[in-house]
Amino acid sequence: RVMAYARSEAATLAAQYPGFPEDAFRHVMWSYLLTLHFGPDFAEQVTDAHETLPGNTPAEREMDFKNNAFGRRLALENASVEELMDAVLNSPQVIRRYD
């Protein structure tokens, strides 16, 4: 359910705002929510396991690992959802696209 929520929120924002970094937001939000609800160790295990599934390129995987870690950090810093959104849009620590 947490993944579905993060996916839905990311898609909604992407539909509202052209150029919105949907993939980055989805990963940061998913990891953030998992950390809030289940703790950072669980969140890291789940998201790292997910990233090892086939289908992503090495560049996509690296981006997702970093954005997942950033989401965990935001949760541990007690960031609000608004701060999460601002960070996804503006922080140099968020990878918004892979090359």
Side-chain angles (χ1 to χ4, degrees):
R1 287 165 69 151
V2 173
M3 179 188 262
Y5 178 78
R7 182 174 283 136
S8 173
E9 286 297 302
T12 297
L13 289 166
Q16 291 175 352
Y17 304 103
F20 183 78
E22 182 177 355
D23 185 69
F25 181 84
R26 183 177 64 249
H27 283 273
V28 172
M29 173 66 99
W30 180 40
S31 193
Y32 169 88
L33 292 171
L34 283 173
T35 302
L36 288 179
H37 293 284
F38 304 106
D41 293 335
F42 178 83
E44 184 174 9
Q45 288 176 350
V46 168
T47 59
D48 282 1
H50 177 78
E51 300 314 334
T52 62
L53 296 174
N56 281 346
T57 66
E60 289 171 312
R61 235 180 233 117
E62 183 66 21
M63 179 178 91
D64 294 345
F65 279 129
K66 288 185 179 186
N67 288 339
N68 291 340
F70 188 73
R72 288 191 303 275
R73 194 180 98 214
L74 288 175
L76 292 172
E77 292 174 354
N78 296 311
S80 66
V81 172
E82 292 79 17
E83 291 169 316
L84 182 146
M85 170 78 100
D86 182 63
V88 169
L89 293 173
N90 299 302
S91 174
Q93 295 175 9
V94 173
I95 301 172
R96 290 168 196 82
R97 48 180 279 216
Y98 54 91
D99 295 317

